[in-house]
Amino acid sequence: MSSGPETSGFSERRGRMRSSSLASAVAALLGLGLAAPSSNHVGPRQSESENLKNCTKPFFEDVIRKANLVDKVEVADNSPYTSSSEPYAIPVLYYANHNSTLNVPDICGARIKVKGTKNVAFELYLPSRANWNMRFLTVGNGAFAGGASRVDMFSRAVYGWATMSTNTGHENDNSSLPGLLDWAKNEPDLQKDWAYRAMAQSVPYAKAIVAGYYEGISMRGNYYSGCSTGGRQGIRQIEEDPNSFDGMLIGAPAWNIKSFVGVISRIGWLAETSGLKDTDTDPFLTFRIKETVYNICNGLDGSITDEAVRDMDKCRTALRGSSTNETLWRGSFTTVAQREAFLTLIEEFKSPVDDTSYAGDGFEPTAAWDLGFSTYLSDRRRNGDFTNQFAKYFLNDTSRDLVWDDSEHGKRLLGDLTEWNDRVRAQADPILLGNGTYKGKTILYTGTSDGFVSSIGTRRAYDIAGGNSNNNLAYFEIPGMPHCVDLGTGASKNPPWYIGAVGLYIPAPNNVYYMPNNTGLDGSSLFDARHDALTALAEWHENNRGRPDSIIATAFSTWGDGKFEVSKQRPICRFPLKQNLKNETNVNKAEGPLRDFIRELLNNKDLNDKMEYFTQVSGLLGYGKAKRVFRLALMFVKAKT
């Protein structure tokens, strides 16, 4: 008879114990946030003199001979080289938060010329055998420039990566558009080298040389990282050799080069005919557009009002609601023609042939925050700039401006671009990322404020590659980030943007480049798999960790004294998952959404948006861990009740 009360008492005690243990576990999560995972890589490792012993021309020539490449490549003059060598001096990088040079280990640079070509060469940055992390990284290039991407190479070599970059077949590395394309004049072979051949000829030889340089050490993985033209190069290389890479980090790829050139021409024509451009009499037009878009669209997604617009569809609808926002519009545009031209630029472009079929991607409304957008608006009125240069040097047509209007000019342009691509084969096909041709992993990303290569076009590439059903593809849209390189301003509003991709260093005067500081707000390394997209890619391939659900993006405080401190961090969810930013207290910390979720449960509130919170937790912890946290918290609430 006494067994009843004893059993009841035991159940009650067990319930209290269970509730207490669950409460402790949840409270620990709530109080401490996300524990930073241990990292075996917190900064550049110490110099090894052994590396420079092998950094000699005879050693590289011996490596080339053993790899049976004597008839394929040769070591260039003044190569190999070290940080003090000329003319291929390794760039100088600084830790921005310390305002001091990196503790740079010995790195051996080598320039290798490809025989049988006019000018194709590639460069290697090789850490010592002791410092090598057993990974090889090919770095892409930018725009139509030539020359190796040395800063991007070096920013990874100091952390143990063996890196390579091709010169795309020429050495014109001017950073401004005027004069950038003249290398292509009457040079069809150089155009093909830029389009794909230089990369195709460099990757296999570089991989063989790296394997020989580190003879006896197994390779963990071959990777690629590139943005814009660099993104296009990576996808295009898969067409030449699907086995080139185990993983690719692709940003804002200019894959649809035929459409890309046409869209730029169309923007220039609209700007010219509508007056939608900065002029001497109205130099702040694009600035006013930025502020108008921000004021109308910020917070339309239901999240907090902050520095990034997140729902572009609602933004477009709001921008077209002229009666609601007439006052704001009048503050931006001086004519109705300007306004209508801008609204045209944020919609899909139709073909001038039939005015119905797709011809190119417009831009997101927040692209006005990017320098590229204002550059395009002013392009057609500036002799010698991109569109005119492309017609002159790539299409060999000096008789006209390169314009796409609603007349025969536009039809002619589309035909010319198709014929040019048939010869040069520059177009890249994203379907190769999803049809089984390429079996590696891909992290694809873009900034929603990209004003050079439309983020709509990047999402189109994602859809073509299979979208969310492609388990080897993870796509991230970074709110408020402009094209590839952010200078720490975050499109004037400074949303979190840094994920460790190419170009995300901070240029400063005197050929100095700042690297972000190496710890986040929780003290964890910005180079671990939660914060660094390239590390996440490598661990996805090497450890079979599953497709990443989020990357924690970082923003930095404004710098003027050489310092660049972390100011905020937020998880960028893998598309189509959405960010859930509702608590202004925690919004600038990466673990904020998880804390909000647990607080809601601890307060025993009814969560109508459990799945929204779950996707946030999943983005922070990964799907498996998120399920356990979710179940733990729900068990605690159930035990309380």
Side-chain angles (χ1 to χ4, degrees), residues 115-131:
K115 293 182 177 180
T117 68
K118 185 171 183 177
N119 196 33
V120 173
F122 58 89
E123 294 186 41
L124 296 162
Y125 284 178
L126 305 175
S128 70
R129 291 173 64 89
N131 286 349

Side-chain angles (χ1 to χ4, degrees), residues 580 582 597 600 606-614:
N580 187 340
K582 296 184 178 181
F597 167 70
E600 295 278 358
D606 180 28
L607 290 179
N608 294 320
D609 53 356
K610 287 186 178 70
M611 285 309 299
E612 290 187 33
Y613 276 105
F614 177 73

Side-chain angles (χ1 to χ4, degrees), residues 137 152 155-156 159 161 224-227 248-253 442-448 450 458 474-488 490 494-506 514-518 520 525-538 548-556 564 566 568-575 579 590 619:
L137 175 67
D152 286 313
S155 67
R156 288 294 171 171
Y159 288 96
W161 295 72
Y224 181 87
S225 183
C227 189
M248 295 196 297
L249 178 59
I250 301 293
T442 303
I443 292 180
L444 179 67
Y445 68 93
T446 186
T448 60
D450 195 322
T458 303
Y475 172 49
F476 298 89
E477 291 186 352
I478 304 176
M481 178 182 169
H483 185 59
C484 292
V485 180
D486 193 287
L487 304 183
N494 199 29
W497 51 271
Y498 178 84
I499 60 169
V502 296
L504 296 185
Y505 45 78
I506 300 92
Y514 283 113
M515 291 285 288
N517 66 355
N518 64 339
S525 171
L526 293 187
F527 294 98
D528 66 23
R530 292 193 305 147
H531 302 82
D532 185 83
L534 190 57
T535 301
L537 177 70
D549 287 320
S550 80
I551 298 173
I552 296 175
T554 301
F556 304 89
F564 212 71
V566 171
K568 64 191 77 168
Q569 294 183 298
R570 294 177 190 166
I572 307 299
C573 297
R574 174 172 54 81
F575 189 86
Q579 288 180 299

